[in-house]
Every structure is written in structure tokens, then in C-alpha cells.
Amino acid sequence: MSAFVPVIAFPAACRRMPVALGACLLSFTAFWAAQRAAHVSMVDLMVYRAEGAAVRAGGDLYALRATAAHLPTTYPPFAALLFTPLPLLDTALLRALATAGNLALLVGFVRLSLRLVGHARGQTAWWVAASAVWCEPVWTTVRYGQINLLLAVVVLWDLTRRPAGGYDRWTGVGLGLAAAVKLTPAMFPVLLLATGLTARLKSGHGEPWLRHARGAAVAFAGATLLAAAVLPYDSWRFWTDMVFRADRAGYAEETANQALRGALARFLHTPDPGALWTVSAAVVAVLGLAVAVRAELRGRRAWAVCACAVTALLISPVSWTHHWVWCVPLVLLLWTRAHRAAAVGTLLVFCSYAPWWVPHGPDRPELHLTGAALALSAVYGGAGALFLALARTSLPRTDGEVRVRP
């Protein structure tokens, strides 16, 4: 009878896949309807469109103020080059394509996250995507027409590839291009470089990580030099001036800013936490990167990637709530590693929309928060800090162990 088990089980597995796909499509349809009912403006998408138009017209990219909110350009010039096709599309069509594209990217992001944590069951991706679309970072990413899911997919694609021999000409390209579009993903090549150097010091063999970091550096340099050749004035302005102006993205104390700098601004009731933030960010960067490097050296890439992502979000001057789409692999990692309570707690945090419960608005009430409102205003950053602490305690304690990935 045992010989017939696969024959009987296979149709059952085939039946489960359409159910999961149908549930995901139903959830996505309800999500799209809810977004339309909320009359989402996709304001960031309109900024991208304006950037593309400015490049095509030869305008001053960093003097641009787009939409009724007068939002500035904050990304490196290479991003604006990628946005040049957007003005060719009607805004209604562009919004529809952006929504459909982000939903497709969510499925891809979930699949890559499952690959990262070692879960290969096909229908699981559809069930997870059906649920993840309603968490606040994903909802807000689609609401604003943001590129967070695109960058996350590119990063995870690069970090979960297994080319023959462990290295090919595409290794590092995704990380380098993502960092050329938006600086926060640059933390991942830093992780690879730090891991490679540490492995070389401990065992004399860190070449796989160093090759990966070099590939990312070459891709980043190529994209940045291309932008400099096409947009020399804008590139000079960005890399000598705009890159140092963290306030261009918005007020530090805004509740939507779930970075360490935002939490400090609200807790200290000041729009500029100054040197305290600089020192705190440096400490968090060192501690978070140490956790990620230790995890990578012990062959725990999922822990390393998630710890690196959280560290980058915490130390960035601004990490809006929609930047925290990395909560998806965080929850999956915690769940698959038997940290079920932590997984559920993290899921509840990012599905709670808690930052939006806190008083916020043009009068800047965030500078006067107290008590529960103050605590709620930092829930994403707090969840990230707790994750780093859990990651540190969950890793093997074998000193000197270095595992080279194939």
C-alpha cells in the first residue's frame, strides 16, 4: 500500500494550491477595493513621475518640489534615471500599474523570504502574501506608490541566489543597484565586507563574502557613474550636499519616522537630537552589525540578513513606516525557528497601525507626546531592537567557528 501513497497525496497537494492562490487573489481584490475606497493619492509615485519629467526636461532635480505637498527629491540621481519612462503614462494607468506591480512584488518578496528561512512549500507563499498585504508597512507602501518592495526583492534575490561555484558575474549586482537607487540597502554590502574581513582574520578564508561585496561595489559604482555622466550637475549636488541633509525627507519627530533618530526626537521633545543621535546610531550600527556578522559566520544567513535590515532601518536618519516591509521575513524567521510568541507579537505590532494612533499633523504634536502615546510612537523601532536582542541570544556560542557558504 505504501507504493500508492504518493499517487494519492499528489492530487491533494494539487488541490491545495488552487485554494491558496484563490485566497490570495480574493485578499488582493479586497485590498485593491479598500485602497480605491480610501482614495489613495500615491503621492510618492507622483514625485517619482515628476523626477522623471525633470530629467527629461533637463531641470534642476534637487530644486524640484512636486505635488500639492511640495515634496522634494531625496534619492540619488540614478533613481531619477530609472523614473524617466513614468511621465509617458497617464496618471490613472500609472497608479493601476504601480498597484498591480507592488502586489506582484509582494508575492515575490514572500517567496524569497520563505527561501531565505528554508521553507519550500509552494502554496505557503500565497497564504502568507494574502495576509501580509494587510500589514501596515505593505499597505502604506502601496498607498504611496513606494519602491520598498522592489528594492527588498532585488536585495533578497541577490542574497538567496545559489550560483554554481558560489559566484558568478551577477553576484552582488542586485545589492549594488539597490544601494544606487536608495542608500539604506548599502548596509548589506557592508555586512558582506565585515564578514569577509572577520573570516580572513579568524581562518584566513573570507573570499566568498569579499567577492560578493566587490560585486556590489562595482555595480554601485557603475550605476552612480552612469548617473554622473548623464546628470553631472545633479550628481555633484547630491553627493556633495544633499546626501548630508537628512531634514529634506521630513521632520525627524514625525510619528511615521520609526528610526532611532525619530524616537529620540520624540522622547527628548526636540526636532534635532543632534550628537546624541549620532553616538547612539554609531553604537547601534556596531552592535547590530556584530550580530549579523556572527550569524553569517555561523551559517545562519536568515538571521544575518534580517539583523542587517533592522540595523539599517534603525540607524537611518529617516525610516518611514513603509520602509519596514522587512517585517515579513522577520515574522517568518521567528515562526520557523520556533520563536512563536515573538513571531505573533511582531506580527501584531506591524498589523496594529499603532504609529497612526498617535497624535500627528502639521502642528507637530509629536514634540509634546507623553505616556502611552510616546511608547506607541516607537513600536516599530522597539520591535526591531528586541529582534536584535533575540537574534544575539539565539545564535550558537561556539567561538571561532567559520562556515563558508558554497
Side-chain angles (χ1 to χ4, degrees), residues 110-135:
V110 169
R111 286 187 177 277
L112 289 169
S113 298
L114 289 169
R115 181 193 298 178
L116 179 70
V117 302
H119 187 94
R121 190 176 299 169
Q123 68 265 25
T124 304
W126 299 111
W127 288 114
V128 173
S131 304
V133 72
W134 297 99
C135 76

Side-chain angles (χ1 to χ4, degrees), residues 17 20 24 105-130 132 152-153 156-157 159-160 162 301-303 305-306 325-337:
M17 181 65 77
C24 185
L105 285 167
L106 175 61
V107 175
F109 186 44
V110 169
R111 286 187 177 277
L112 289 169
S113 298
L114 289 169
R115 181 193 298 178
L116 179 70
V117 302
H119 187 94
R121 190 176 299 169
Q123 68 265 25
T124 304
W126 299 111
W127 288 114
V128 173
V153 164
L156 274 193
W157 169 81
L159 290 170
T160 58
R162 297 291 190 274
R301 170 147 290 193
W303 286 104
V305 170
C306 289
V325 293
W326 286 93
C327 66
V328 174
L330 253 67
V331 171
L332 291 174
L333 174 62
L334 292 171
W335 184 265
T336 56
R337 298 305 187 271

